[in-house]
Amino acid sequence: MEGEAVFIRRADHGARILVVDDDALARRSLRAMLERSYYVVETVESGPEALALLTTYQPDLILLDIQMPGMDGLEVCRRIRVLPDGDLLPIIFLTGDERLDLHAEALRAKGDDFLRKPIRSAELIIRVRSLMRLKRLQAEVLAERDNLLDLQKQREQLFEFIVHDLKNPLSAIQMGLELLDTGDAIDATSQIQVHRLRDTARYMGRMIQNILDIGRAEQVGLELRRTRFGLATWMSGLQQEVESQAQSRHHQLSWECPDELEVEADPECLQRLLLNLIDNALKYSPSGSHTRIMARSEGSGVRLEVRDQGEGIPEAMREQIFGKFVRLDEGSADLRSGSGLGLAFCRMAAEAHEGRIWVEDNTPKGSVFVLEIPRIHRAGLRDPDSDGGKA
Ligand code: ADP
């Protein structure tokens, strides 16, 4: 409306600005310019005073004179940048010095902007506003990031709760299937179905346990229950667990292990590691393939191999596939079921045993997954200050 002033409240209206300048006249004139634009101004006349004030007062921006007796503005800026959140505070340097290289020096000291005296009001206010705007956007991005991190944490917790709650019903299904299998109430065809269901339930159980263990390992590390055991007997338990699954896929499994070979390790954890590798060999090899599972002594350790005739793994991916959620051919229509967590669990389990796991080419085709772990757990020989004793 004609003749009537329209007052628009800007977002930085009332923002706090700290002026640091040893020249009283400069302080007065800067205060006047800033207050005319509705900023709230605080002034001090030296670097040490500014640093002391910052322990109790939080400005939104600092105007910092470079030439001051005692501590110069460049030094004050460097000290502010190492304070908690000090690197987020917008700082504009002011100087009456004509030297050209001073600008570069000011930026090296991590100032955000630079103004030469005499300061013109319009220019000062434009620079202050644009830095305030950047600060606001930065604060919004940081708040958004914190929000996303919170949400991600909540989702991970929810995911873990759900997965954990799947364990009990799955155990009930497994027990029911075992009971059906032992009675004579079912005919041969139904028995094949029961075996398939039992194998699928076991596979699901391993997936669930991988997810729970990885979540737990990331928080407190994998807890191992080490004992000394013979690998040959242990392998026959493994064989029973997967044999019918392999048969239903017309997949031949062969097992090789010297009778006397012993290891000090967590048998259950090692079994899940090997079962993950065998699951993969079955999943990623054509029907009718042959997979060899071998254990042998190697120096002071034990070497376990799963040698399949599957599609192999491109060299560029041989390290990545041990990462969480990494799957080859992601997005392809024929992607087989899986979570991309099996090999991540294998790596964690290998490392918890102070061992290594990797994949090589098999000849003429397929992959060899190799696990090497020490035969004896050398806890007593380890550095007592290291935290590896958790495992
Ligand atoms: P998942 O099998 O649940 O996808 P894994 O972590 O066990 O997850 O394996 C990651 C990926 O590595 C698989 O998706 C598959 O692409 C590839 N992979 C694993 N084992 C083999 C194998 N024996 N042969 C070929 N590819 C494999």
Side-chain angles (χ1 to χ4, degrees):
M1 256 181 285
E2 213 184 316
E4 225 176 89
V6 181
F7 182 78
I8 300 170
R9 198 178 197 288
R10 291 193 326 267
D12 61 349
H13 193 123
R16 291 183 301 266
I17 298 187
L18 173 63
V19 175
V20 188
D21 200 317
D22 59 317
D23 178 350
L25 202 62
R27 287 199 302 274
R28 246 199 326 275
S29 113
L30 287 167
R31 177 190 283 280
M33 292 180 206
L34 293 165
E35 286 183 344
R36 263 203 306 277
S37 289
Y38 306 102
Y39 293 115
V40 175
V41 182
E42 194 65 51
T43 62
V44 290
E45 54 189 82
S46 74
E49 254 184 272
L51 292 170
L53 184 65
L54 287 178
T55 58
T56 53
Y57 173 74
Q58 285 185 330
D60 296 299
L61 182 143
I62 298 186
L63 292 178
L64 184 55
D65 186 27
I66 295 185
Q67 283 80 25
M68 290 186 291
M71 191 187 294
D72 72 8
L74 300 174
E75 180 56 23
V76 179
C77 183
R78 284 188 209 101
R79 293 193 188 199
I80 291 175
R81 290 306 185 216
V82 296
L83 296 175
D85 288 336
D87 57 339
L88 297 178
L89 190 54
I91 296 180
I92 303 180
F93 279 122
L94 311 173
T95 183
D97 193 322
E98 296 293 317
R99 274 180 300 143
L100 287 175
D101 57 350
L102 198 60
H103 195 162
E105 214 179 313
L107 294 179
R108 264 199 302 278
K110 301 214 175 107
D112 297 292
D113 207 346
F114 184 89
L115 275 174
R116 288 195 188 274
K117 291 179 181 177
I119 307 291
R120 290 187 304 120
S121 174
E123 190 179 5
L124 172 72
I125 299 303
I126 286 171
R127 303 274 186 110
V128 166
R129 270 187 208 163
S130 85
L131 269 185
M132 291 283 193
R133 190 164 165 270
L134 277 180
K135 186 183 150 127
R136 258 196 326 276
L137 292 176
Q138 194 175 23
E140 280 170 22
V141 170
L142 287 177
E144 197 58 34
R145 184 202 60 179
D146 288 347
N147 227 342
L148 284 174
L149 286 175
D150 271 358
L151 273 176
Q152 187 182 339
K153 210 162 158 194
Q154 281 173 24
R155 280 181 56 172
E156 276 170 14
Q157 277 170 352
L158 183 67
F159 182 61
E160 269 191 33
F161 283 144
I162 294 173
V163 172
H164 186 266
D165 286 353
L166 286 176
K167 269 176 83 173
N168 290 341
L170 186 63
S171 305
I173 292 172
Q174 280 176 311
M175 272 164 59
L177 289 170
E178 297 297 341
L179 277 175
L180 266 180
D181 195 27
T182 46
D184 341 306
I186 54 170
D187 58 27
T189 326
S190 309
Q191 199 163 32
I192 293 172
Q193 292 305 328
V194 167
H195 285 176
R196 286 213 175 121
L197 288 173
R198 185 195 57 194
D199 293 340
T200 310
R202 283 180 181 169
Y203 174 67
M204 268 179 77
R206 292 199 282 278
M207 267 171 72
I208 289 176
Q209 206 53 49
N210 285 343
I211 294 169
L212 293 177
D213 278 349
I214 287 177
R216 207 176 143 65
E218 282 174 347
Q219 285 161 18
V220 291
L222 259 192
E223 282 166 25
L224 298 186
R225 287 194 195 90
R226 282 192 170 88
T227 137
R228 199 182 176 92
F229 59 95
L231 277 169
T233 323
W234 170 83
M235 262 199 182
S236 50
L238 205 66
Q239 190 170 351
Q240 276 175 20
E241 183 84 16
V242 283
E243 205 55 64
S244 86
Q245 192 183 341
Q247 270 170 21
S248 64
R249 288 168 189 253
H250 309 288
H251 196 117
Q252 189 193 341
L253 296 178
S254 63
W255 307 80
E256 295 165 38
C257 177
D259 281 343
E260 74 289 357
L261 188 57
E262 288 197 332
V263 71
E264 200 177 311
D266 180 330
E268 207 240 320
C269 177
L270 219 52
Q271 187 183 57
R272 295 225 333 279
L273 190 163
L274 260 283
L275 286 173
N276 272 308
L277 297 180
I278 298 167
D279 278 338
N280 282 349
L282 299 180
K283 246 188 328 186
Y284 301 111
S285 307
S287 168
S289 299
H290 177 195
T291 293
R292 292 167 67 193
I293 300 111
M294 288 178 283
R296 66 165 188 265
S297 154
E298 181 104 342
S300 61
V302 162
R303 180 181 170 107
L304 285 141
E305 284 182 11
V306 176
R307 194 174 275 273
D308 69 40
Q309 298 176 324
E311 37 207 80
I313 293 162
E315 193 155 357
M317 292 303 291
R318 287 190 196 153
E319 195 42 43
Q320 271 117 300
I321 51 165
F322 290 95
K324 282 199 305 184
F325 306 115
V326 178
R327 311 195 68 203
L328 302 183
D329 305 325
E330 194 69 83
S332 100
D334 114 289
L335 193 68
R336 274 143 286 192
S337 74
S339 57
L341 288 172
L343 292 178
F345 168 78
C346 292
R347 170 138 298 167
M348 279 184 188
E351 286 173 356
H353 280 91
E354 286 128 38
R356 294 191 306 136
I357 186 165
W358 70 95
V359 61
E360 297 172 356
D361 256 341
N362 191 11
T363 40
K365 73 188 273 253
S367 321
V368 191
F369 281 85
V370 186
L371 167 74
E372 275 184 1
I373 53 170
R375 202 155 352 135
I376 307 286
H377 173 47
R378 294 154 67 90
L381 301 179
R382 271 182 302 135
D383 176 2
D385 291 338
S386 85
D387 66 349
K390 261 188 300 204

